[in-house]
Amino acid sequence: MKIMVTGGAGFIGSNFIRYMLDKYPDVEIVNFDKLTYAGNLENLSGLESDRRYKFCRGDISNSSDVTAMLANDKFDSVVNFAAESHVDRSIHLGVFEFINTNISGTQVLIDAVIRHNVPRFLQVSTDEVYGSLGPQGKFSERSPVQPNNPYAATKASADFLVRAASKSHGLNAVITRCSNNFGPYQFPEKLIPLMIANATEGKDLPVYGDGLHVRDWIYVADHCSAIDLVLRKAEPGSVYNIGSEYDVPNIEIVKTIIRLLGKSDSLIKYVKDRPGHDRRYAMDSAKIREDLGWKPEHSFEKGMAKTIEWYMNNRGWWENIRSGAYKTYYDNMYGKRLKDVGGLVR
Ligand code: NAD
Ligand code: DAU
């Protein structure tokens, strides 16, 4: 089994690579990543000497980078994690990077996968494509796609392009839509690692609006096991929701972190709300449970305990990110080599 994983230096992609290498002795993985601000090779530390793993720096929206990869190696599948993933950035810093990577990049991959006859393509999508729920109900795979923020709109567009390629060109593609992940290696701009880092340092914990927005939280390893199953077992053209069905208001998450770290609620600061902030996400994941026999292995409590333990034992990892020091590491490690090989590190 040889897999090209795009975006494997990010949070979920790096967890997926570790998951697959642990589970399958004969798997080979090429991690194809642009190393944006969110891509961090420290997420893969320890794998450098694993002969089944290779890193290659490239941009999914650059057709030459992608072609160079697929023309040189024969893959059984491409799993696309690469994305601009942060909602706040898509609202406040501009949407063009999101359009470029999340939409154009996905189409570049689709075209290359078709051209090079890669047997399987998995698009990692999100529950955000469904928009926001009222007080009742859950998202199923049949819920309308109604994105409310620029990030979600680009992910929805990518889903439509994947669907269109499978209908028009016979692309063997599957789409997964997962809820909010948490766990090791999550970039500390997202709610849970931001709160852990700030609380540890005694800094304010910024809660948007009234703190009653609901997200459905899943431990990242359970997302990885679901992707593995969908990749191997799902019918071409199918879409699967993934969620652990633990949907709670943000303020409850923040208070849990405060309690587990032995800090005080006085750190909580209610701040101006995110514009267009989706009120509630909740996933119906009956389809993947019934069709493929998937279920999450981690309760929220177990996943959160492991997560806090990881952030406490790996303080240097998030302190380096928050100080910007991890970028210096890239320049030292890759600056010259990048110039040597015309953009690709092999
Ligand atoms: P992340 O921001 O941590 O990582 C994204 C990775 O993609 C980084 O390594 C980055 O360098 C890379 N990348 C960005 N642009 C690229 C490009 N043009 N070419 C190649 N690589 C590029 O994101 P994440 O949280 O790990 O999310 C991974 C995927 O899962 C995304 O597609 C996201 O939409 C989806 N998703 C995330 C969550 C979540 O809770 N984090 C939930 C559901 C779905
Ligand atoms: O639902 C899946 C999505 O989850 C993924 O598709 C996205 O890539 C991922 O970033 C995540 O999006 P969210 O916007 O839900 O995640 P974030 O961690 O940014 O915010 C979670 C909730 O917490 C949201 O309601 C906003 C709120 N929040 C967030 C931050 C960073 C705060 O109240 N304060 C904060 O400082």
Side-chain angles (χ1 to χ4, degrees), residues 10-12 33-34 36 39 59-60 81 85 101 125 151 155 181:
F11 162 46
I12 307 173
D33 197 296
K34 184 180 174 184
T36 65
D59 180 343
I60 62 164
F81 291 93
S85 69
T101 290
S125 185
Y151 157 74
K155 292 296 290 185
N181 286 223

Side-chain angles (χ1 to χ4, degrees), residues 127-139 143-149 152 212-215 276-282:
D127 61 355
E128 299 225 2
V129 300
Y130 297 122
S132 190
L133 288 164
Q136 304 296 326
K138 289 178 184 274
F139 296 129
S143 298
V145 171
Q146 291 177 326
N148 290 325
N149 62 65
L212 297 179
H213 301 80
V214 172
R215 295 292 180 269
H277 197 174
D278 285 335
R279 192 63 174 169
R280 188 169 79 89
Y281 302 155

Side-chain angles (χ1 to χ4, degrees), residues 12 84-88 125-129 149 151 155 178-181 186 189-195 205-209 211 213-217 250 254 271 273-274 277-279 281:
I12 307 173
E84 286 295 333
S85 69
H86 192 36
V87 173
D88 291 320
S125 185
T126 167
D127 61 355
E128 299 225 2
V129 300
N149 62 65
Y151 157 74
K155 292 296 290 185
C178 191
S179 62
N180 282 66
N181 286 223
Q186 185 167 29
E189 65 186 353
K190 307 284 166 61
L191 181 74
I192 288 181
L194 179 78
M195 295 297 158
L205 307 181
V207 173
Y208 297 168
H213 301 80
V214 172
R215 295 292 180 269
D216 185 339
W217 294 97
N250 294 335
V254 175
V271 299
D273 208 353
R274 172 186 281 174
H277 197 174
D278 285 335
R279 192 63 174 169
Y281 302 155

Side-chain angles (χ1 to χ4, degrees), residues 199 202-207 251 254-255 258-259 262-270:
K203 293 185 175 149
D204 288 352
L205 307 181
V207 173
I251 191 66
V254 175
K255 287 190 172 171
I258 291 173
R259 181 172 46 76
K263 303 289 178 179
S264 154
D265 283 2
S266 64
L267 291 176
I268 295 172
K269 292 285 169 304
Y270 288 93

Side-chain angles (χ1 to χ4, degrees), residues 72-85:
N72 280 339
D73 271 315
K74 202 155 176 49
F75 290 97
D76 298 302
S77 55
V78 172
V79 180
N80 182 27
F81 291 93
E84 286 295 333
S85 69

